[in-house]
Amino acid sequence: GETTKVCYNENVFRTDGGSHAFKEIVQTGLECIGHIDLYAMSEVVMLAVRSLQAIHPNYILDISHLGFVQGLLGEAKLEEKQRQEVLRCMNAKNIPELSTLCRQWNLPSETACYLIELTRLYAPMGEALAKLQELNVNDQTASALAELSGVYRLLEVDGCHDRVYLDFSLTNDMDYYNGLIFRGFVEGLPSGVLAGGRYDNLVHRLGKQGGAIGFAVYLDLLE
């Protein structure tokens, strides 16, 4: 019944790709756990932007929403293996292979077009939201669009919206993440230095009600 906000500096350990070897990652981050409303989500995204600004003046924060992706995938009525293939193509922005798969599976042309356009979409958030409206097909995509639009309005109020982009090649682990996810980049480094999003699924697996959102900055990468 409470909302808790914490920050941390920790060494975490993750398996490296498909191997069982663990890699140590030095990171600092923050979490908001409990009742997650629109402002709580926006506050975390604002702090992500401010963190990138503190690291380097040339930065970009890419935002995606797994609810919108899942809404479109639901329209396609795909089997689980096919869903994973689509997500792989989206993550790589591999439009030719995605188009081929849609033809092989005889997906309706409109559904295939929506999936391809969502994968292709990459633009400043204000501009991209207008295009995203054209891909809004059901209640799940409408809910995701409303969240993204609300977050963007608050980013505008805070004055930190200029370098925020929509990019649906960010799919991440849908067993862990849900809803809004994001990744931050700075000039001179080839991979993201900041990553985060909603992870309500983990809270539920631990037997708790409520939501959670946060992000981490990879200090070892910055060094």
Side-chain angles (χ1 to χ4, degrees), residues 50-173:
R50 297 301 184 197
S51 299
L52 290 169
Q53 289 174 342
I55 294 168
H56 199 287
N58 291 330
Y59 69 89
I60 282 178
L61 184 72
D62 287 342
I63 290 183
S64 178
H65 199 298
L66 295 179
F68 204 99
V69 176
Q70 289 169 329
L72 278 189
L73 289 175
E75 292 291 310
K77 297 179 174 60
L78 299 171
E79 297 176 0
E80 181 56 30
K81 186 176 181 180
Q82 292 173 323
R83 286 168 58 92
Q84 294 304 318
E85 286 292 291
V86 170
L87 290 172
R88 179 181 59 80
C89 290
M90 293 182 69
N91 188 256
K93 283 195 176 292
N94 190 339
I95 304 294
E97 184 179 2
L98 180 56
S99 301
T100 299
L101 291 175
C102 289
R103 288 194 300 271
Q104 288 178 354
W105 299 334
N106 295 315
L107 292 188
S109 58
E110 186 177 49
T111 301
C113 180
Y114 285 167
L115 288 172
I116 290 167
E117 288 304 310
L118 190 69
T119 304
R120 181 179 286 125
L121 181 62
Y122 185 76
M125 194 168 180
E127 175 186 333
L129 284 171
K131 297 180 181 178
L132 199 62
Q133 182 64 56
E134 301 172 6
L135 308 179
N136 183 17
V137 294
N138 54 37
D139 290 343
Q140 192 170 11
T141 57
S143 176
L145 179 59
E147 278 194 359
L148 288 168
S149 299
V151 168
Y152 182 69
R153 286 196 299 271
L154 289 173
L155 292 177
E156 279 188 307
V157 171
D158 193 58
C160 60
H161 62 289
D162 290 343
R163 292 177 175 265
V164 179
Y165 284 64
L166 272 190
D167 181 3
F168 285 91
S169 69
L170 296 182
T171 53
N172 291 20
D173 181 359

